[in-house]
PDB file of all heavy atoms in Angstrom:
ATOM      1  N   GLY A1479     -17.513 -10.698  -9.419  1.00  0.00           N
ATOM      2  CA  GLY A1479     -17.789  -9.290  -9.450  1.00  0.00           C
ATOM      3  C   GLY A1479     -17.311  -8.546  -8.198  1.00  0.00           C
ATOM      4  O   GLY A1479     -17.392  -7.329  -8.133  1.00  0.00           O
ATOM      5  N   LEU A1498      -5.638 -19.253  -7.257  1.00  0.00           N
ATOM      6  CA  LEU A1498      -5.851 -18.026  -8.031  1.00  0.00           C
ATOM      7  C   LEU A1498      -5.257 -18.116  -9.395  1.00  0.00           C
ATOM      8  O   LEU A1498      -4.128 -18.574  -9.594  1.00  0.00           O
ATOM      9  CB  LEU A1498      -5.256 -16.812  -7.269  1.00  0.00           C
ATOM     10  CG  LEU A1498      -5.965 -16.368  -5.991  1.00  0.00           C
ATOM     11  CD1 LEU A1498      -5.217 -15.199  -5.376  1.00  0.00           C
ATOM     12  CD2 LEU A1498      -7.404 -15.998  -6.294  1.00  0.00           C
ATOM     13  N   SER A1500      -5.171 -15.478 -13.115  1.00  0.00           N
ATOM     14  CA  SER A1500      -5.403 -14.103 -13.521  1.00  0.00           C
ATOM     15  C   SER A1500      -5.581 -14.011 -15.039  1.00  0.00           C
ATOM     16  O   SER A1500      -4.990 -14.766 -15.809  1.00  0.00           O
ATOM     17  CB  SER A1500      -4.218 -13.214 -13.095  1.00  0.00           C
ATOM     18  OG  SER A1500      -3.040 -13.615 -13.687  1.00  0.00           O
ATOM     19  N   ASP A1508      -9.947  -3.570 -12.089  1.00  0.00           N
ATOM     20  CA  ASP A1508      -8.761  -4.316 -11.645  1.00  0.00           C
ATOM     21  C   ASP A1508      -9.033  -4.973 -10.292  1.00  0.00           C
ATOM     22  O   ASP A1508      -9.604  -4.363  -9.387  1.00  0.00           O
ATOM     23  CB  ASP A1508      -7.589  -3.339 -11.541  1.00  0.00           C
ATOM     24  CG  ASP A1508      -6.307  -4.055 -11.104  1.00  0.00           C
ATOM     25  OD1 ASP A1508      -5.901  -4.973 -11.840  1.00  0.00           O
ATOM     26  OD2 ASP A1508      -5.736  -3.732 -10.081  1.00  0.00           O
ATOM     27  N   TYR A1513     -14.491 -15.192 -12.405  1.00  0.00           N
ATOM     28  CA  TYR A1513     -14.922 -16.579 -12.563  1.00  0.00           C
ATOM     29  C   TYR A1513     -14.643 -17.369 -11.284  1.00  0.00           C
ATOM     30  O   TYR A1513     -13.605 -17.147 -10.620  1.00  0.00           O
ATOM     31  CB  TYR A1513     -14.174 -17.259 -13.725  1.00  0.00           C
ATOM     32  CG  TYR A1513     -14.378 -18.751 -13.823  1.00  0.00           C
ATOM     33  CD1 TYR A1513     -15.556 -19.304 -14.314  1.00  0.00           C
ATOM     34  CD2 TYR A1513     -13.395 -19.625 -13.341  1.00  0.00           C
ATOM     35  CE1 TYR A1513     -15.765 -20.674 -14.361  1.00  0.00           C
ATOM     36  CE2 TYR A1513     -13.589 -20.989 -13.394  1.00  0.00           C
ATOM     37  CZ  TYR A1513     -14.737 -21.501 -13.879  1.00  0.00           C
ATOM     38  OH  TYR A1513     -14.927 -22.872 -13.955  1.00  0.00           O
ATOM     39  N   VAL A1534      -6.745  -8.704 -13.946  1.00  0.00           N
ATOM     40  CA  VAL A1534      -5.637  -7.757 -13.875  1.00  0.00           C
ATOM     41  C   VAL A1534      -5.886  -6.720 -14.941  1.00  0.00           C
ATOM     42  O   VAL A1534      -5.434  -6.821 -16.078  1.00  0.00           O
ATOM     43  CB  VAL A1534      -4.269  -8.466 -14.095  1.00  0.00           C
ATOM     44  CG1 VAL A1534      -3.126  -7.467 -13.944  1.00  0.00           C
ATOM     45  CG2 VAL A1534      -4.085  -9.592 -13.096  1.00  0.00           C
ATOM     46  N   LEU A1549      14.338  16.611 -20.728  1.00  0.00           N
ATOM     47  CA  LEU A1549      12.897  16.541 -20.604  1.00  0.00           C
ATOM     48  C   LEU A1549      12.297  15.862 -21.817  1.00  0.00           C
ATOM     49  O   LEU A1549      11.400  15.020 -21.710  1.00  0.00           O
ATOM     50  CB  LEU A1549      12.289  17.931 -20.422  1.00  0.00           C
ATOM     51  CG  LEU A1549      10.785  17.996 -20.311  1.00  0.00           C
ATOM     52  CD1 LEU A1549      10.283  17.111 -19.144  1.00  0.00           C
ATOM     53  CD2 LEU A1549      10.320  19.430 -20.120  1.00  0.00           C
ATOM     54  N   SER A1551      13.716  13.645 -23.819  1.00  0.00           N
ATOM     55  CA  SER A1551      14.018  12.226 -23.791  1.00  0.00           C
ATOM     56  C   SER A1551      13.160  11.520 -22.783  1.00  0.00           C
ATOM     57  O   SER A1551      12.690  10.368 -23.025  1.00  0.00           O
ATOM     58  CB  SER A1551      15.509  11.990 -23.485  1.00  0.00           C
ATOM     59  OG  SER A1551      16.304  12.540 -24.487  1.00  0.00           O
ATOM     60  N   LEU A1568       2.942   6.141 -20.055  1.00  0.00           N
ATOM     61  CA  LEU A1568       2.756   6.712 -18.743  1.00  0.00           C
ATOM     62  C   LEU A1568       2.212   8.123 -18.855  1.00  0.00           C
ATOM     63  O   LEU A1568       2.573   8.846 -19.813  1.00  0.00           O
ATOM     64  CB  LEU A1568       4.090   6.749 -17.972  1.00  0.00           C
ATOM     65  CG  LEU A1568       4.656   5.380 -17.561  1.00  0.00           C
ATOM     66  CD1 LEU A1568       6.066   5.561 -17.014  1.00  0.00           C
ATOM     67  CD2 LEU A1568       3.770   4.732 -16.529  1.00  0.00           C
ATOM     68  N   GLY A1581      26.627  22.476 -11.348  1.00  0.00           N
ATOM     69  CA  GLY A1581      27.016  21.746 -12.559  1.00  0.00           C
ATOM     70  C   GLY A1581      25.845  21.059 -13.256  1.00  0.00           C
ATOM     71  O   GLY A1581      26.098  20.307 -14.236  1.00  0.00           O
ATOM     72  N   LYS A1610      15.967  24.427 -15.157  1.00  0.00           N
ATOM     73  CA  LYS A1610      15.834  25.385 -16.229  1.00  0.00           C
ATOM     74  C   LYS A1610      17.087  26.278 -16.207  1.00  0.00           C
ATOM     75  O   LYS A1610      17.859  26.299 -15.237  1.00  0.00           O
ATOM     76  CB  LYS A1610      14.592  26.256 -16.035  1.00  0.00           C
ATOM     77  CG  LYS A1610      14.574  27.045 -14.741  1.00  0.00           C
ATOM     78  CD  LYS A1610      13.301  27.893 -14.619  1.00  0.00           C
ATOM     79  CE  LYS A1610      13.285  28.660 -13.305  1.00  0.00           C
ATOM     80  NZ  LYS A1610      12.063  29.468 -13.168  1.00  0.00           N
ATOM     81  N   LYS A1626       0.881  26.174  -8.635  1.00  0.00           N
ATOM     82  CA  LYS A1626      -0.563  26.225  -8.831  1.00  0.00           C
ATOM     83  C   LYS A1626      -1.211  24.966  -8.313  1.00  0.00           C
ATOM     84  O   LYS A1626      -0.574  23.925  -8.106  1.00  0.00           O
ATOM     85  CB  LYS A1626      -0.886  26.417 -10.316  1.00  0.00           C
ATOM     86  CG  LYS A1626      -0.394  25.309 -11.227  1.00  0.00           C
ATOM     87  CD  LYS A1626      -0.704  25.615 -12.661  1.00  0.00           C
ATOM     88  CE  LYS A1626      -0.252  24.468 -13.601  1.00  0.00           C
ATOM     89  NZ  LYS A1626       1.167  24.163 -13.520  1.00  0.00           N
ATOM     90  N   GLU A1648      -0.423  23.240   5.422  1.00  0.00           N
ATOM     91  CA  GLU A1648      -1.569  22.750   6.163  1.00  0.00           C
ATOM     92  C   GLU A1648      -2.095  21.537   5.430  1.00  0.00           C
ATOM     93  O   GLU A1648      -2.364  21.582   4.240  1.00  0.00           O
ATOM     94  CB  GLU A1648      -2.668  23.835   6.230  1.00  0.00           C
ATOM     95  CG  GLU A1648      -3.932  23.339   6.942  1.00  0.00           C
ATOM     96  CD  GLU A1648      -5.051  24.376   6.869  1.00  0.00           C
ATOM     97  OE1 GLU A1648      -4.794  25.559   6.497  1.00  0.00           O
ATOM     98  OE2 GLU A1648      -6.206  24.006   7.179  1.00  0.00           O
ATOM     99  N   GLU A1685       6.574  -0.091   0.140  1.00  0.00           N
ATOM    100  CA  GLU A1685       7.976   0.265  -0.033  1.00  0.00           C
ATOM    101  C   GLU A1685       8.179   1.753  -0.279  1.00  0.00           C
ATOM    102  O   GLU A1685       9.217   2.324   0.062  1.00  0.00           O
ATOM    103  CB  GLU A1685       8.597  -0.525  -1.182  1.00  0.00           C
ATOM    104  CG  GLU A1685       8.718  -2.022  -0.851  1.00  0.00           C
ATOM    105  CD  GLU A1685       9.346  -2.799  -1.969  1.00  0.00           C
ATOM    106  OE1 GLU A1685       9.690  -2.189  -2.977  1.00  0.00           O
ATOM    107  OE2 GLU A1685       9.537  -3.999  -1.826  1.00  0.00           O
ATOM    108  N   ILE A1717      14.271  18.771   3.011  1.00  0.00           N
ATOM    109  CA  ILE A1717      13.028  18.948   2.297  1.00  0.00           C
ATOM    110  C   ILE A1717      12.346  20.267   2.657  1.00  0.00           C
ATOM    111  O   ILE A1717      11.273  20.571   2.110  1.00  0.00           O
ATOM    112  CB  ILE A1717      12.051  17.784   2.555  1.00  0.00           C
ATOM    113  CG1 ILE A1717      11.693  17.681   4.037  1.00  0.00           C
ATOM    114  CG2 ILE A1717      12.665  16.464   2.069  1.00  0.00           C
ATOM    115  CD1 ILE A1717      10.563  16.690   4.304  1.00  0.00           C
ATOM    116  N   GLN A1746      17.615  25.711  14.813  1.00  0.00           N
ATOM    117  CA  GLN A1746      18.535  26.600  14.136  1.00  0.00           C
ATOM    118  C   GLN A1746      20.010  26.207  14.354  1.00  0.00           C
ATOM    119  O   GLN A1746      20.859  26.415  13.505  1.00  0.00           O
ATOM    120  CB  GLN A1746      18.340  28.052  14.603  1.00  0.00           C
ATOM    121  CG  GLN A1746      19.070  29.095  13.769  1.00  0.00           C
ATOM    122  CD  GLN A1746      18.623  30.504  14.142  1.00  0.00           C
ATOM    123  OE1 GLN A1746      17.880  30.723  15.076  1.00  0.00           O
ATOM    124  NE2 GLN A1746      19.120  31.503  13.395  1.00  0.00           N
TER     125      GLN A1746
END
Side-chain angles (χ1 to χ4, degrees):
L1498 289 179
S1500 61
D1508 182 58
Y1513 169 77
V1534 182
L1549 179 58
S1551 296
L1568 291 172
K1610 61 180 180 180
K1626 62 183 183 300
E1648 177 185 347
E1685 292 182 359
I1717 62 170
Q1746 191 171 6

